[in-house]
Amino acid sequence: MIQKLMSGINFFCLSIGMLAMLLLPLHVTVDVIFREVLGTPILGTIEIASYYYMIAIFALPLAFVQEKDEHLVADVLESIMSKKFVGLTVSVGYLCTVIFVYLLFQQTALGAWTATGNGEHVELVFTNLYTWPSRWIIAIGFGAMFLQALLQIVRDVLQVVNRPKATSGA
Amino acid sequence: MSDVVIGMSGLLTILLLILFRLPISISLGFVSFLGLTQIIGFNSSLSLVGRVPFDFAANWTFTAVPTFLLMGTIAFYTGLTANLFHAARLWLGFLPGGLAVATNFACAGFGAASGSSLATTVAMGRLAIPEMTKYKYDPGLACAVCCCSGTLGALIPPSIMMVMYGIFAEQSISKLFIAGILPGLLTAFIYALMIILRCSWNKDLAPRLDERPTMQEKISALLGIWPLLVLITLVMGGIYLGFTTPTEAGSIGVVAVLLLAAYQRRLTVDLLMKSLKDAAVSTAGIFFIALGAILLTKFMTFSGVPVALAEIVNQYSVSPLLFIIMASVLYLILGMFLDPLGILLVSIPILMPLLQSYEMNLIWFGVIAVKYIEIGLMTPPVGMNVFAVKSLVGEDFSLVTIFKGVFWFLGAEAVIMVLLIAFPQISLFLPSLM
């Protein structure tokens, strides 16, 4: 049930990342056409691409990557490791992920809070572009990833706890 | 414990964790964070961890990565370059091992639409292996040519590896792209020569094709690859002539590939979604590793490991050539066990100060490093391209058969690497014209 809800959140975040993935090249191409043909680029293209599209593309699919275990791993020793040991390494991986990503979440959320308070922005020619919302995007990405990794650890622990019971029951 | 010892222990721990199947990103990031806490203290490390992700991701130069990845995935899923193999086959089929030679050059062509060697291997392997099997080609040759020529995808621009190297080594991505062209073509020609010689010597390896296409058929097949030519002109032409930056070229490439696929009625909403999802997942995975690599770079800098290594190298008066040979051995060994991006991002923070102390050309070294990393995709026991081909052929051919075929290409790679190291101008000639 919780995993189902989490999967929904993960997929929603991924979808926003995919939308940013599509908008980025369209926006930049239109900017290049405007610059080369009309001589006037679209104001703030580099800033919007960097602070919004790139942040969304980087951070929002992370929870989905975590859920599907799509992180790059080296499988070189897997064939000579026992199934139990592979299971252990996967769980240790989840544990390290939970700790590391929690730190990332906590620190980026703190950064986002401060930036929001300061009204963080970059100056464009005629106007300002607020950048503090994009700090929340990165915090949300890490937050979702942290929750997903935590769920995976809980699932693993429950599996280990339930296994002896099932054996003794049989 | 001195900082250098902490740094070296950290490096060793990272390698061990990666070997024991922990995600590369987490191994790099988590160990670097722990190492930093020992050197600069917990609070400073924590503050660094908070700052790095945003500063790193909100980066205009990095936009080249998702755009080139998306361009490659759309080209892959929509089969935009499907005519490439057909054209290469009609033009080169008459040669000994003609289908293998055609596959080799088709891979080089696909490399111009995709920045990933894995995508090139899979795209061409799907088309070419069944065809070569039908004509009773040696299974080792048929599979190996797809594994090895697939690596051209990372050398012939655009190349994700070159983008990542350029960002981390602070080198011009445009120059790196252009520098990869001649070494990529050299690799394709030496592979072709090796295939032709082998198949002339041993005719059982690849029976001659009995088809004799007319010139009209050949020209018509060549005209069928116009989408690729349009793409190359728009992407590489723009960069070479200075109209666009690599980041803009990636975006233009995506729009071009979308329009071309739509024009050819190959684009569906499903394929677009699949392409976007694949590219988004790959980008997030790559960037998360890169985030870990940035923390590693900071960890290495604070620990003083690169400086200590440079001092050792200076103390023993290691010649530049010997240094390159040592770096080559390091890349070959790491390539046997680690993922390409992992190797690149672990090695740069350590090697870069040394390369700078030798005043080596970092564009040239980028080509050499990417070549070695791509060789790692063919070498046992990991060889990701070999596994990609194995997944395509299923139980029809064994891994041993594929690796046996690959060894001939590794022999060709030895010749190519000697040429690239001995004659840096092969890599640097085109960039020097920019």
Side-chain angles (χ1 to χ4, degrees):
Chain A
M1 175 68 184
I2 299 174
Q3 180 56 64
K4 227 175 177 178
L5 176 70
M6 199 63 225
S7 295
I9 294 170
N10 296 346
F11 190 74
F12 177 73
C13 288
L14 172 72
S15 305
I16 306 284
M18 284 162 61
L19 183 66
M21 191 90 180
L22 184 64
L23 289 176
L24 167 68
L26 296 178
H27 190 155
V28 173
T29 305
V30 172
D31 176 64
V32 172
I33 294 170
F34 270 48
R35 190 186 65 205
E36 295 298 323
V37 178
L38 305 176
T40 39
I42 300 173
L43 185 68
T45 298
I46 290 180
E47 290 77 9
I48 293 170
S50 309
Y51 289 108
Y52 284 93
Y53 298 141
M54 282 303 286
I55 295 286
I57 291 168
F58 162 53
L60 293 179
L62 281 173
F64 184 84
V65 172
Q66 180 65 33
E67 182 190 342
K68 303 290 174 195
D69 272 329
E70 297 229 14
H71 289 296
L72 279 175
V73 292
D75 288 330
V76 60
L77 295 180
E78 194 177 350
S79 55
I80 57 166
M81 293 193 292
S82 68
K83 254 188 174 171
K84 231 177 182 176
F85 193 76
V86 172
L88 182 72
T89 60
V90 171
S91 300
V92 172
Y94 288 153
L95 187 65
C96 294
T97 307
V98 164
I99 299 170
F100 181 56
V101 177
Y102 173 72
L103 293 173
L104 288 170
F105 164 62
Q106 188 214 35
Q107 289 302 307
T108 49
L110 275 174
W113 183 259
T114 313
T116 308
N118 295 339
E120 188 188 69
H121 62 271
V122 286
E123 286 176 12
L124 303 179
V125 181
F126 302 111
T127 180
N128 291 333
L129 176 74
Y130 285 104
T131 54
W132 60 262
S134 67
R135 290 199 179 261
W136 285 109
I137 296 175
I138 214 163
I140 289 169
F142 285 135
M145 187 183 181
F146 162 68
L147 288 177
Q148 178 55 47
L150 195 64
L151 260 182
Q152 284 166 318
I153 281 204
V154 171
R155 188 192 61 198
D156 278 12
V157 169
L158 285 179
Q159 269 178 3
V160 172
V161 170
N162 289 335
R163 204 176 295 148
K165 276 184 192 166
T167 316
S168 60
Chain B
M1 214 189 305
S2 75
D3 291 351
V4 174
V5 175
I6 293 172
M8 291 304 288
S9 316
L11 268 181
L12 204 66
T13 313
I14 287 169
L15 289 177
L16 278 176
L17 291 181
I18 291 174
L19 282 179
F20 281 111
R21 222 189 158 281
L22 254 72
I24 296 170
S25 48
I26 299 296
S27 307
L28 288 172
F30 191 49
V31 174
S32 300
F33 170 73
L34 292 179
L36 281 166
T37 59
Q38 298 302 305
I39 298 172
I40 60 171
F42 186 77
N43 288 337
S44 302
S45 307
L46 209 56
S47 139
L48 200 68
V49 161
R51 278 200 319 268
V52 165
F54 189 80
D55 294 346
F56 145 78
N59 186 331
W60 170 242
T61 318
F62 268 124
T63 55
V65 176
T67 51
F68 281 125
L69 271 173
L70 184 59
M71 185 178 105
T73 48
I74 296 171
F76 174 75
Y77 280 123
T78 56
L80 198 71
T81 48
N83 292 332
L84 202 59
F85 178 65
H86 176 62
R89 176 199 162 136
L90 291 191
W91 281 90
L92 302 166
F94 73 95
L95 291 165
L99 284 179
V101 176
T103 306
N104 173 48
F105 283 107
C107 282
F110 189 84
S114 164
S116 144
S117 61
L118 209 59
T120 310
T121 299
V122 173
M124 283 301 141
R126 269 185 195 160
L127 293 171
I129 295 174
E131 199 67 7
M132 284 188 273
T133 311
K134 192 171 102 186
Y135 282 92
K136 305 209 180 314
Y137 268 49
D138 175 73
L141 173 66
C143 295
V145 71
C146 295
C147 298
C148 303
S149 303
T151 61
L152 294 169
L155 206 59
I156 290 177
S159 158
I160 301 296
M161 281 291 154
M162 293 284 197
V163 174
M164 296 307 282
Y165 174 86
I167 291 169
F168 277 82
E170 296 174 355
Q171 294 300 303
S172 154
I173 295 167
S174 304
K175 285 191 174 176
L176 281 163
F177 275 3
I178 301 299
I181 294 176
L182 286 183
L185 293 176
L186 177 76
T187 306
F189 278 105
I190 291 185
Y191 278 179
L193 189 66
M194 182 271 292
I195 296 167
I196 292 168
L197 288 176
R198 270 189 81 197
C199 295
S200 307
W201 185 262
N202 181 358
K203 292 190 168 42
D204 292 339
L205 275 179
R208 287 288 185 111
L209 299 186
D210 44 17
E211 58 190 23
R212 289 284 174 269
T214 61
M215 186 50 80
Q216 200 180 358
E217 284 173 323
K218 284 183 180 179
I219 290 173
S220 147
L222 203 58
L223 292 176
I225 63 167
W226 67 268
L228 182 73
L229 300 179
V230 169
L231 203 58
I232 293 172
T233 311
L234 278 173
V235 174
M236 292 320 298
I239 293 176
Y240 197 79
L241 297 174
F243 287 125
T244 54
T245 61
T247 46
E248 292 168 341
S251 294
I252 291 167
V254 170
V255 174
V257 91
L258 278 173
L259 292 175
L260 289 167
Y263 176 76
Q264 293 197 319
R265 296 179 192 282
R266 293 171 186 267
L267 186 68
T268 62
V269 174
D270 264 5
L271 288 181
L272 178 62
M273 287 299 165
K274 228 172 160 180
S275 306
L276 284 169
K277 186 179 156 197
D278 271 17
V281 166
S282 299
T283 307
I286 289 174
F287 279 11
F288 200 50
I289 293 180
L291 173 65
I294 288 181
L295 288 175
L296 174 69
T297 308
K298 298 205 180 291
F299 174 36
M300 286 296 106
T301 309
F302 282 116
S303 70
V305 167
V307 177
L309 286 177
E311 278 170 8
I312 294 171
V313 168
N314 286 337
Q315 198 179 337
Y316 289 97
S317 308
V318 176
S319 70
L321 181 63
L322 184 61
F323 174 74
I324 284 292
I325 292 170
M326 284 160 61
S328 307
V329 173
L330 176 77
Y331 274 122
L332 287 174
I333 293 171
L334 288 177
M336 292 166 84
F337 304 103
L338 298 186
D339 163 81
L341 194 62
I343 302 168
L344 187 72
L345 297 184
V346 168
S347 63
I348 289 179
I350 302 159
L351 291 181
M352 212 38 65
L354 294 167
L355 291 163
Q356 280 159 349
S357 74
Y358 278 111
E359 295 178 357
M360 276 185 195
N361 187 305
L362 295 181
I363 298 283
W364 168 71
F365 187 78
V367 173
I368 301 290
V370 170
K371 270 300 283 179
Y372 275 124
I373 286 164
E374 292 303 307
I375 290 172
L377 292 176
M378 320 172 198
T379 50
V382 180
M384 270 163 68
N385 275 16
V386 177
F387 289 121
V389 166
K390 175 67 182 152
S391 71
L392 288 178
V393 298
E395 295 307 311
D396 293 347
F397 309 123
S398 71
L399 267 179
V400 175
T401 305
I402 305 174
F403 272 124
K404 272 185 185 167
V406 164
F407 274 111
W408 286 93
F409 287 85
L410 290 176
E413 282 293 352
V415 176
I416 296 161
M417 291 316 297
V418 167
L419 288 173
L420 290 181
I421 291 172
F423 304 104
Q425 276 309 310
I426 298 173
S427 310
L428 299 177
F429 173 66
L430 288 180
S432 71
L433 299 178
M434 287 176 81

